[in-house]
Amino acid sequence: MLDNLYELKRQLNSNNVIFSFCGPMSQKVVEGVGTTVKNALATDNVSPTVSMKVFGIFVEQVQNVIHYSEDKISNENMIDNELRLGIIMIGQCSENYFVAGGNKIKNIHVQKLDDMLQKIISMDKEELKDYYKQKRREENETTSKGGGLGFVEMARKSSKPMEYLITKIDNDYSFFSIKVIV
Amino acid sequence: MQTLSIAKTESTPKVLFDINTHTHYIEGESYPENTNIFYQPIFDWLCEYLKNTPNEQKISFNIDLVYFNSSSSKVLMDMFDLLEDFGENGKCIEINWLYNEEDESSQEYGEEFAEDYEIIKFNLIKK
């Protein structure tokens, strides 16, 4: 393990990853890491517009893991009873920044997610704005945790079409990955 | 009824709804883990306050949010909808949306809210 750590770090660096986290996500991760990322971008002379977009996409992706990941650990002594696991990274690609993340999902939810993302990706800026407003009005907090609106939000902050991949793990689960470029 | 005062945290804004000045503030960032748990008491307070405030009283809300996530955006819309409803029933309400000129999104979000409301006055103000 120890001899692989440096190799892992080198791999991340060669993909221009400036931050990565793999494991149980929590609101504290969103707050602590998010603030650190904002500060790091500020010292890198990134414009407030870009910095807030990177931060915003980071928040939506981590909160998606917290709400939707099927990879969970639970312990009755934990305050929130369970923690959801996933992966998140922020990196640079040429002139831009990217935020990529992923988590385990149930196969029964794959089709719906795939349809929703296809629809969002096919939209231009103006369509996204209208769809965002429509979804914001439709969404009911009692039946949804806001995942749909979160993807539209990410698409609006993205400078290129979002990319995603759904990889089958077994008969019950798949792994969902998404990359958003600011 | 008492003034509502909630201190700011890393992921929730400062909320100051003042029954004496009728000038209210929401300031900071909004991305709580559970939006409903944070905002429900604020909505409850707001309904009670609007019912008990005379129509001739001018009421203003200053919204200065550096960042809010998508579920907070939904909550803001619900709040503005509620204010619009009370506006239709005769309340004199204005919203001041404060934005940072250097962050294009904060202005855009304000403009998009502004175009959806007719009765309440929705002002966009550069910080």
Side-chain angles (χ1 to χ4, degrees), chain A residues 24-25 40 51 84 86 115-116 179:
Chain A
M25 305 277 182
S51 161
R84 311 269 183 140
D115 290 346
M116 178 173 67
K179 183 180 175 189

Side-chain angles (χ1 to χ4, degrees), chain A:
Chain A
M1 171 63 217
L2 200 57
D3 51 343
N4 289 336
L5 208 58
Y6 179 52
E7 188 46 42
L8 184 61
K9 184 189 178 296
R10 276 189 11 170
Q11 260 181 37
L12 290 168
N13 287 144
S14 69
N15 284 294
N16 294 314
V17 171
I18 47 181
F19 166 83
S20 62
F21 183 97
C22 180
M25 305 277 182
S26 67
Q27 179 68 12
K28 287 280 170 228
V29 171
V30 187
E31 293 172 13
V33 175
T35 305
T36 311
V37 166
K38 252 191 298 184
N39 292 341
L41 294 176
T43 54
D44 211 14
N45 281 328
V46 177
S47 79
T49 304
V50 170
S51 161
M52 288 316 291
K53 280 182 180 173
V54 171
F55 175 70
I57 294 164
F58 169 82
V59 171
E60 297 293 341
Q61 285 198 8
V62 179
Q63 289 188 328
N64 268 353
V65 172
I66 294 172
H67 291 142
Y68 296 107
S69 177
E70 290 295 339
D71 206 356
K72 310 168 200 178
I73 44 172
S74 59
N75 175 339
E76 55 192 37
N77 295 325
M78 277 195 264
I79 303 161
D80 300 326
N81 284 320
E82 64 174 22
L83 285 167
R84 311 269 183 140
L85 284 77
I87 184 165
I88 180 98
M89 55 183 65
I90 299 173
Q92 270 178 302
C93 46
S94 59
E95 301 288 286
N96 305 302
Y97 285 89
F98 69 84
V99 185
N103 58 266
K104 205 164 142 182
I105 56 170
K106 279 195 174 126
N107 285 342
I108 46 166
H109 295 144
V110 165
Q111 192 61 51
K112 205 179 155 200
L113 181 66
D114 197 25
D115 290 346
M116 178 173 67
L117 287 166
Q118 283 296 332
K119 185 175 173 176
I120 294 170
I121 287 168
S122 72
M123 291 179 173
D124 63 25
K125 287 268 169 227
E126 211 40 46
E127 288 170 325
L128 277 171
K129 180 196 154 185
D130 293 341
Y131 189 56
Y132 182 78
K133 288 175 93 166
Q134 178 200 332
K135 254 197 122 43
R136 183 165 65 183
R137 204 151 274 292
E138 280 169 4
E139 223 158 67
N140 186 338
E141 290 292 332
T142 54
T143 55
S144 160
K145 293 167 188 160
L149 192 62
F151 285 122
V152 189
E153 179 85 65
M154 285 192 252
R156 296 192 69 193
K157 290 185 157 87
S158 158
S159 61
K160 299 205 169 91
M162 299 193 297
E163 294 169 50
Y164 70 98
L165 201 63
I166 297 166
T167 314
K168 197 171 172 188
I169 300 172
D170 56 30
N171 284 335
D172 297 317
Y173 295 102
S174 292
F175 194 83
F176 167 67
S177 315
I178 186 161
K179 183 180 175 189
V180 186
I181 294 173
V182 178

